[in-house]
Amino acid sequence: MKQYLSHPVFSIISDISNKMNTPSFVIGGFVRDILLKRPSKDIDIVVLGSGIELAEKTAAHLDRNIKVHVFRNFGTAMFSYNDIEFEFVGARKESYRNNSRKPIVEDGTIADDQNRRDFTINALAISLNKKDYGQLIDPFNGILDIENKIIRTPLEPENTFSDDPLRMLRAIRFATQLSFDIETNTFDAINKNTKRLSIISKERIVDELNKIILSQKPSIGFNLLDKSEILDMVFPQLNALKGIEVIGKNTHKDNFYHTLEVLDNIALKSDNLWLRWAALLHDIAKPATKKFEKDIGWTFHGHEFVGSKMIPAIFRQLSLPLNEKMKYVAKLVQLHLRPIALSEESVTDSAIRRLLFEAREDIDDLMLLCEADISSKNAKKVNRYINNFRIVRKKLVEIEEKDRLRNWQPPISGEDIMKTFNINPSHEVGLIKTAIREAILDGIINNNYSEAYEYMLEKGKKLGLIPK
Ligand code: ATP
Ligand code: MG
């Protein structure tokens, strides 16, 4: 495995730990990722001795200016060097109590340290010691599991998950990121321990959800969350999208699978986490708005508005940030039917202007979301949508070039109106401003100062105002 230790820091660590007489090993995610040829940005070093001391000596040797962050309580130290995070920790043995994922920790051997790892593929270590530098230490056949694409716990899975239930989500997250299967016993143990997730903080849960969402094919993870019944615990609103109801000949699509399809579609087009969240949430209000109407069948009227209103509570519940990202998601959910409605009517300039005006700088993301939303199996229908979207996109470019509505600012301000007619802030000012905006959106006037000025005079006159 020496070929994998090409980073110059490894031989430095080896020299220093040899001098300190404290054996050290590279362990965990970094070893897994080099074998999988995945890029990795953090390197974990386990030391049979003081991780803090080894970190400080290594950093000092590399560059006196490196800042070493020491966490005495955990016996760990980390520093960053050439964009890579190095974390040093003393080898430890862990034992868990029932009600916490915080273990009792004692010093341990390298084997103890490997025993406390979550999965066989994460328990691989490579020696940095003089006598066997580069040797792989693989007590649980992690290499074989990498080859066979299997997620499996090193020890009894029931204990592994009961000790630290976050590992259940990590299992599903790795299965999604790596396209691995979760070994049967391991998955059964997840099924038995889902309730234990209640001791895990929301922040840690949502970190794992985000990693699933950012994977190449997020549906793998959500299907596993569903199968293990974790979905209902951590995200009941998404779980509620499942199922199909039939009345007579009237049926509707399963909105859970549809949503996963849309999420996978968008994942092919964009790495934007929040656009992916918008895809996951675009139909979230379908259960709340579902109705059976006698002559029409199943309807979900207004689900885009109701869904958009549900976003803040969902973000709070999942501990997602309550900031402009949340507003962006709410906006995309609210607008997600607009382009498709456009393409079903004739695509008028004024409809396009209104869409641009509302979506603003998020118009491109909205178009991606709408295109991802096509999940019909009917090729004719799909072609018609794609064709219509092509027309919408072309028109969007034309209208934006002409009217510049993406970053629209009213060409005439409230101040301008008050000065022109020598009036105070009043209802009339608002009326004129709205009238100008509507005239621009309807294409009655162009989006520029002089046409808006003329229009203001006209509108003012109708309201009995006289320019001074
Ligand atoms: P990523 O960096 O992609 O999140 P990773 O496996 O490197 O994945 P880290 O959180 O960086 O995860 O952890 C590094 C290593 O620490 C893991 O490979 C694993 O060996 C161990 N580890 C992390 N979290 C746990 C856990 N909850 N239980 C047991 N071992 C863990
Ligand atoms: Mg890592």
Side-chain angles (χ1 to χ4, degrees):
M1 295 276 148
K2 268 190 202 151
Q3 72 273 24
Y4 295 124
L5 302 179
S6 58
H7 198 291
V9 174
F10 290 127
S11 66
I12 294 169
I13 297 174
S14 174
D15 287 343
I16 296 175
S17 65
N18 189 49
K19 272 191 211 125
M20 286 169 59
N21 204 15
T22 53
S24 61
F25 307 83
V26 201
I27 196 160
F30 178 79
V31 182
R32 176 200 67 219
D33 286 342
I34 45 179
L35 293 167
L36 285 168
K37 302 190 173 59
R38 291 171 93 218
S40 81
K41 289 245 157 214
D42 49 338
I43 298 182
D44 293 314
I45 309 288
V46 164
V47 192
L48 305 186
S50 167
I52 297 176
E53 197 180 331
L54 182 58
E56 283 174 336
K57 288 192 168 155
T58 305
H61 183 95
L62 288 169
D63 177 348
R64 292 249 154 233
N65 295 322
I66 291 179
K67 169 110 187 75
V68 181
H69 302 272
V70 175
F71 304 91
R72 293 226 175 257
N73 292 351
F74 298 99
T76 63
M78 53 215 290
F79 62 79
S80 174
Y81 180 67
N82 288 350
D83 271 352
I84 295 189
E85 287 277 334
F86 288 86
E87 180 167 342
F88 294 71
V89 58
R92 60 202 211 191
K93 189 176 172 178
E94 293 182 342
S95 36
Y96 285 83
R97 290 148 298 171
N98 221 354
N99 55 351
S100 158
R101 64 179 288 264
K102 290 202 183 65
I104 299 166
V105 178
E106 306 160 66
D107 289 346
T109 61
I110 181 70
D112 289 329
D113 202 282
Q114 287 175 298
N115 282 339
R116 75 177 178 88
R117 305 273 158 178
D118 49 3
F119 306 112
T120 58
I121 62 167
N122 285 348
L124 296 156
I126 301 177
S127 164
L128 296 177
N129 306 309
K130 294 288 168 197
K131 69 171 194 324
D132 55 1
Y133 188 81
Q135 168 147 358
L136 182 76
I137 306 160
D138 179 14
F140 310 112
N141 278 326
I143 289 266
L144 208 62
D145 283 344
I146 288 184
E147 271 166 26
N148 294 328
K149 297 172 160 277
I150 303 251
I151 307 284
R152 180 202 318 265
T153 57
L155 305 177
E156 198 43 55
E158 286 257 5
N159 295 339
T160 305
F161 293 132
S162 168
D163 285 348
D164 177 0
L166 182 69
R167 293 168 180 162
M168 298 189 277
L169 281 176
R170 283 175 55 91
I172 291 175
R173 183 255 288 193
F174 284 119
T176 316
Q177 284 179 324
L178 306 175
S179 284
F180 277 30
D181 287 325
I182 301 177
E183 180 266 337
T184 316
N185 284 329
T186 302
F187 195 75
D188 287 347
I190 294 180
N191 270 329
K192 288 194 190 128
N193 280 285
T194 48
K195 293 278 176 295
R196 295 275 297 154
L197 268 178
S198 57
I199 66 166
I200 301 296
S201 76
K202 290 174 178 180
E203 288 76 7
R204 286 185 176 267
I205 292 178
V206 87
D207 270 354
E208 297 299 327
L209 286 185
N210 281 338
K211 286 183 181 171
I212 291 172
I213 292 172
L214 283 173
S215 303
Q216 224 170 35
K217 198 172 180 213
S219 63
I220 298 175
F222 283 98
N223 279 316
L224 289 170
L225 289 173
D226 173 33
K227 220 171 126 199
S228 60
E229 296 181 14
I230 291 178
L231 188 69
D232 192 29
M233 268 194 80
V234 302
F235 201 166
Q237 295 92 337
L238 197 61
N239 195 53
L241 292 179
K242 280 186 328 197
I244 298 174
E245 242 181 289
V246 184
I247 294 186
K249 281 189 185 148
N250 297 283
T251 170
H252 61 78
K253 61 185 162 194
D254 184 308
N255 288 304
F256 179 63
Y257 295 108
H258 164 70
T259 292
L260 295 189
E261 224 178 311
V262 178
L263 180 58
D264 283 348
N265 287 344
I266 205 92
L268 295 172
K269 300 281 178 183
S270 166
D271 290 332
N272 175 349
L273 174 65
W274 304 106
L275 180 52
R276 292 183 180 203
W277 267 106
L280 192 61
L281 293 169
H282 77 286
D283 278 347
I284 202 71
K286 280 206 166 168
T289 55
K290 179 164 138 177
K291 272 209 189 88
F292 184 76
E293 294 181 46
K294 221 170 123 239
D295 298 324
I296 309 170
W298 294 105
T299 65
F300 304 90
H301 289 310
H303 73 272
E304 69 277 33
F305 296 105
V306 178
S308 168
K309 293 233 160 65
M310 285 168 72
I311 304 303
I314 290 176
F315 267 52
R316 201 167 304 121
Q317 166 200 321
L318 293 173
S319 205
L320 284 165
L322 306 175
N323 58 14
E324 75 288 352
K325 304 296 182 202
M326 177 187 84
K327 288 188 191 146
Y328 161 92
V329 172
K331 173 174 165 186
L332 289 187
V333 171
Q334 184 179 327
L335 295 177
H336 84 267
L337 293 177
R338 290 285 293 279
I340 201 138
L342 270 186
S343 50
E344 275 168 3
E345 309 154 8
S346 58
V347 188
T348 64
D349 284 11
S350 99
I352 292 273
R353 261 188 232 107
R354 283 181 186 280
L355 181 63
L356 255 174
F357 175 73
E358 282 175 63
R360 306 255 173 153
E361 69 276 15
D362 301 319
I363 184 71
D364 297 329
D365 290 352
L366 179 64
M367 290 305 294
L368 283 178
L369 175 60
C370 294
E371 283 157 358
D373 197 6
I374 304 172
S375 71
S376 169
K377 297 279 173 290
N378 177 340
K380 236 171 142 184
K381 228 173 163 178
V382 171
N383 276 336
R384 197 180 76 224
Y385 285 144
I386 290 177
N387 214 17
N388 277 327
F389 279 136
R390 207 174 296 134
I391 301 169
V392 173
R393 275 185 180 276
K394 195 162 153 265
K395 280 240 169 200
L396 277 167
V397 173
E398 283 169 19
I399 300 258
E400 175 56 19
E401 262 175 23
K402 195 159 70 69
D403 294 343
R404 304 270 158 226
L405 289 163
R406 222 178 225 264
N407 299 306
W408 193 74
Q409 295 293 336
I412 296 280
S413 68
E415 284 285 301
D416 294 332
I417 299 169
M418 290 189 282
K419 264 198 209 134
T420 308
F421 297 111
N422 196 21
I423 53 174
N424 290 324
S426 56
H427 184 54
E428 279 77 11
V429 180
L431 283 179
I432 295 174
K433 272 184 83 171
T434 306
I436 294 171
R437 187 192 71 213
E438 290 300 301
I440 292 171
L441 293 177
D442 285 339
I444 296 167
I445 59 170
N446 286 311
N447 180 24
N448 60 47
Y449 180 82
S450 60
E451 289 186 45
Y453 189 85
E454 285 308 314
Y455 197 78
M456 167 188 70
L457 291 180
E458 224 175 89
K459 194 76 202 166
K461 211 189 244 167
K462 280 192 193 142
L463 290 169
L465 300 172
I466 303 157
K468 63 169 182 181

